[in-house]
Amino acid sequence: MGSDAGMMTIYDFPRGPYPARVRIALAEKNLLSRVRFELVDLRKGEHKQPSFIATKNYSGTLPVLELSDGTLIAECTAITEYLDNLDGAPSLTGRTALEKGLIHMMNKRAEIEFLDAVSVYFHHATPGLGPEVEVYQNVEWGLRQRDKAIRGMHYFDGVLREQPFVAGAAFSMADIAVIGGMIFSELVKLPVPESCGALRAWYGRMQERPSVQHWRRPQG
Ligand SMILES: N[C@@H](CCC(=O)N[C@@H](CS)C(=O)NCC(=O)O)C(=O)O
């Protein structure tokens, strides 16, 4: 089992939208001094190397958290759950049963309807990480996922017309997942429709958070 003390390692790619989610969560939880980052170069396909898959993450994705005793936790949501509960005072993943349920639902929805859809668009309908890494591309599937992501933007715009944050009254991991979608959309130049005023205004407010500002700064 994982130890709660000691230095942790994050295998990541600093500008990647999924790694951004964990970097933002770390900053929100004041844990940046407890981690060191190890670059896995996506453009070189290092995350698809058999050794990475065998020893770090079966799914061949980033980020991955490694605890000081060698325990590995992949998947942004799982990593965020772990980090959020380290101090016994969860602030990103919910305290009550209701908060936990709503945050988990909206976080998953942000992935399915927005962030993961932009990712599929990137990998299938754009050059993605380049011909060496993108060994199978299905353009039609990619374009469908692009359209799904735009529908997702409209959906989250509607949510944010009704409430200040993605899962309700407070900032949570679900906001971080939508921020990941927005970061990926910027990267692939998929603009948020002008009509999504609430989503745009919320994103403006998110830029004021120190955790997001920290991510925006140049990183090593
Ligand atoms: N479900 C995973 C997705 C992670 C993910 O797709 N990460 C990107 C980095 S930004 C990646 O590794 N992409 C390479 C690929 O999918 O081949 C999570 O939440 O951690």
Side-chain angles (χ1 to χ4, degrees):
M1 288 301 288
S3 142
D4 285 356
M7 204 64 179
M8 301 179 276
T9 303
I10 308 268
Y11 298 94
D12 92 342
F13 188 72
R15 306 315 300 174
Y18 291 86
R21 290 169 63 190
V22 165
R23 284 175 176 253
I24 291 168
L26 284 165
E28 290 283 342
K29 297 294 291 185
N30 281 317
L31 286 168
L32 282 162
S33 62
R34 295 259 317 265
V35 297
R36 63 176 197 93
F37 294 97
E38 193 162 315
L39 173 73
V40 177
D41 198 333
L42 292 176
R43 291 161 309 190
K44 293 185 183 153
E46 288 177 357
H47 58 304
K48 298 299 182 209
Q49 291 302 315
S51 62
F52 182 81
I53 287 171
T55 64
K56 301 300 177 200
N57 180 13
Y58 171 78
S59 299
T61 59
L62 301 174
V64 183
L65 169 67
E66 187 168 47
L67 307 183
S68 55
D69 70 355
T71 303
L72 293 156
I73 304 178
E75 295 295 322
C76 291
T77 303
I79 296 169
T80 306
E81 291 273 2
Y82 175 80
L83 297 174
D84 195 32
N85 284 282
L86 266 183
D87 60 2
S91 56
L92 301 174
T93 56
R95 282 172 295 272
T96 65
L98 181 61
E99 283 173 6
K100 283 176 187 286
L102 289 174
I103 290 169
H104 214 107
M105 173 180 73
M106 294 308 279
N107 181 72
K108 187 74 181 166
R109 197 169 278 170
E111 292 182 335
I112 294 172
E113 307 295 342
F114 187 18
L115 172 57
D116 291 352
V118 180
S119 177
V120 174
Y121 166 61
F122 170 71
H123 290 293
H124 285 271
T126 79
L129 295 170
E132 303 280 305
V133 183
E134 309 293 358
V135 287
Y136 170 75
Q137 289 197 300
N138 183 328
V139 175
E140 192 197 346
W141 176 237
L143 292 175
R144 275 174 180 259
Q145 293 297 305
R146 177 200 61 190
D147 295 347
K148 179 178 183 174
I150 293 168
R151 285 196 302 277
M153 290 177 188
H154 285 287
Y155 166 72
F156 285 107
D157 180 63
V159 168
L160 291 162
R161 278 176 203 277
E162 303 297 323
Q163 57 194 36
F165 296 98
V166 171
F171 179 84
S172 75
M173 147 171 96
D175 292 280
I176 301 178
V178 177
I179 291 170
M182 298 292 275
I183 288 171
F184 216 153
S185 300
E186 288 164 16
L187 211 73
V188 299
K189 301 191 173 28
L190 197 62
V192 177
E194 290 284 341
S195 60
C196 292
L199 180 61
R200 285 163 165 261
W202 163 88
Y203 197 43
R205 295 198 303 278
M206 293 301 104
Q207 301 306 314
E208 290 163 18
R209 295 187 80 84
S211 60
V212 178
Q213 286 175 5
H214 184 274
W215 180 81
R216 289 259 169 228
R217 274 183 233 134
Q219 296 145 6

